[in-house]
Amino acid sequence: MTTWTDLAATRPITLSDTSGIDRAAHHRLDEAWLSAAWSHPSTRVFVVSGGQALIDDTPDGRTELVMTPAFEAPVTETHRYFLGEDADGVAYFALQKDALPGRMDQSARPAGLREAGLLLSPRDAGLMVHAVALENWQRLHRFCSRCGERTVIAAAGHIRRCPACGAEHYPRTDPAVIMLVTDEKDRALLGRQMHWPEGRFSTLAGFVEPGESIEQAVRREVAEEAGVVVGDVEYVASQPWPFPSSLMLGFMARATSSDIQVDGEEIHEARWFSRDELRAAFASGEVLPPTGISIAARLIELWFGEPLPAS
């Protein structure tokens, strides 16, 4: 039997593909190993600042992260994050700086994950999403939530320790559900948020609340945003979403009601679409498909049966 998860695996989801990088967490507390790795000539380093890194287009048409040997990297006292090593033993580090370095050849450009994630190789995209997530967390969690003292970085960027009370703080990941809802006629429920351009429709989504299962979150969010009751919920795939610190959990859900009552706050408009109706709406320009790197487009494609048109 073919499942939604099997179908999702046939085409990688942006930021979720196998990167070939072993995060090698056992090295994060080994200062001697980290020092030796940093000094090794094969080690590669890139800078992350404000969620951006430098990328560059190669003569053969690829786009790569701009990485340098460690001895050419900008100086930083503490904000050096070990990201892992590849199958050849090459170690990768990210440096958090207040600004990206300039490039003498002027060919590189700064980019965030929404652009770079669509262009980079799985290795480079995986390294960048790891670095951006750490940078976001480090910038927002500089003080101890237990006693208020300023914390210090440890474990190669993956822990912040409080020197006053001894508490250890770890990077935060907030689970969020994103779901394509279908009804008994196999129509898909798509909605448009208040701030989106006219005609832009996508799947519904929302955060998991404390004490709630992910299945409960799917049902609650659909009911709150569109007034539709959901029964069966089936997991499809996940996607790291460091904007600033989420993990998107993708689902297919089956509605047991079809009446729509939007909340008017998050969702401005919601509609049921058959495949033919959606195809015609795409062709006429009445409906614009979701753009960018979100898993939303993949969930719609799994139901739609073909790639969505470019927006």
Side-chain angles (χ1 to χ4, degrees):
M1 180 179 68
T2 302
T3 67
W4 290 113
T5 306
D6 295 330
L7 293 171
T10 61
R11 189 152 68 87
I13 296 167
T14 307
L15 305 182
S16 301
D17 196 11
T18 302
S19 68
I21 299 296
D22 179 356
R23 294 198 173 195
H26 57 288
H27 289 317
R28 293 173 185 168
L29 295 173
D30 189 338
E31 293 298 333
W33 187 94
L34 290 169
S35 179
W38 179 257
S39 302
H40 198 279
S42 70
T43 293
R44 290 295 176 265
V45 182
F46 65 96
V47 175
V48 61
S49 179
Q52 293 189 319
L54 289 178
I55 62 174
D56 205 355
D57 298 324
T58 66
D60 60 359
R62 293 177 296 111
T63 301
E64 296 180 336
L65 273 177
V66 174
M67 291 191 272
T68 67
F71 64 84
E72 294 181 3
V75 176
T76 183
E77 294 182 359
T78 57
H79 294 275
R80 185 174 76 187
Y81 310 142
F82 172 60
L83 304 178
E85 54 187 349
D86 64 21
D88 296 323
V90 176
Y92 295 87
F93 288 82
L95 299 180
Q96 177 181 321
K97 303 289 287 183
D98 291 334
L100 295 175
R103 290 270 292 189
M104 293 184 64
D105 57 16
Q106 299 297 310
S107 65
R109 64 185 186 277
L113 274 169
R114 294 182 189 275
E115 175 191 356
L118 295 170
L119 302 173
L120 297 174
S121 68
R123 184 201 69 176
D124 284 8
L127 290 168
M128 187 174 174
V129 75
H130 189 176
V132 166
L134 285 177
E135 185 211 18
N136 285 334
W137 173 67
Q138 293 283 358
R139 289 187 185 278
L140 296 174
H141 295 82
R142 293 175 296 167
F143 297 92
C144 180
S145 59
R146 183 180 295 176
C147 72
E149 184 71 26
R150 181 179 287 273
T151 54
V152 296
I153 296 173
H158 294 76
I159 293 176
R160 292 192 72 100
R161 290 199 177 109
C162 179
C165 71
E168 289 189 347
H169 304 280
Y170 295 83
R172 173 176 173 172
T173 299
D174 301 318
V177 292
I178 184 167
M179 46 276 175
L180 181 72
V181 181
T182 57
D183 68 358
E184 61 180 6
K185 298 178 182 178
D186 203 24
R187 298 179 300 175
L189 178 65
L190 302 180
R192 185 168 72 82
Q193 292 189 14
M194 300 289 289
H195 63 277
W196 286 356
E198 188 71 27
R200 177 79 68 202
F201 281 81
S202 188
T203 55
L204 304 184
F207 286 101
V208 180
E209 294 187 347
E212 185 176 52
S213 73
I214 53 179
E215 293 85 359
Q216 289 170 337
V218 169
R219 298 184 180 103
R220 175 184 53 76
E221 284 289 345
V222 175
E224 288 178 354
E225 294 184 351
V228 172
V229 178
V230 164
D232 293 338
V233 175
E234 185 175 357
Y235 172 76
V236 177
S238 65
Q239 180 188 40
W241 195 251
F243 303 110
S245 57
S246 297
L247 176 66
M248 284 287 193
L249 304 167
F251 296 87
M252 306 299 286
R254 179 65 74 171
T256 60
S257 71
S258 58
D259 290 340
I260 295 174
Q261 291 184 327
V262 297
D263 61 6
E265 296 180 4
E266 293 187 57
I267 300 299
H268 178 67
E269 181 183 3
R271 294 165 55 185
W272 292 105
F273 293 90
S274 69
R275 291 174 181 82
D276 288 341
E277 288 169 342
L278 188 59
R279 188 176 292 107
F282 285 152
S284 68
E286 177 189 357
V287 170
L288 304 175
T291 60
I293 62 175
S294 171
I295 190 177
R298 292 292 292 114
L299 293 174
I300 297 172
E301 285 177 349
L302 288 175
W303 163 82
F304 195 48
E306 61 189 73
L308 301 186
S311 177

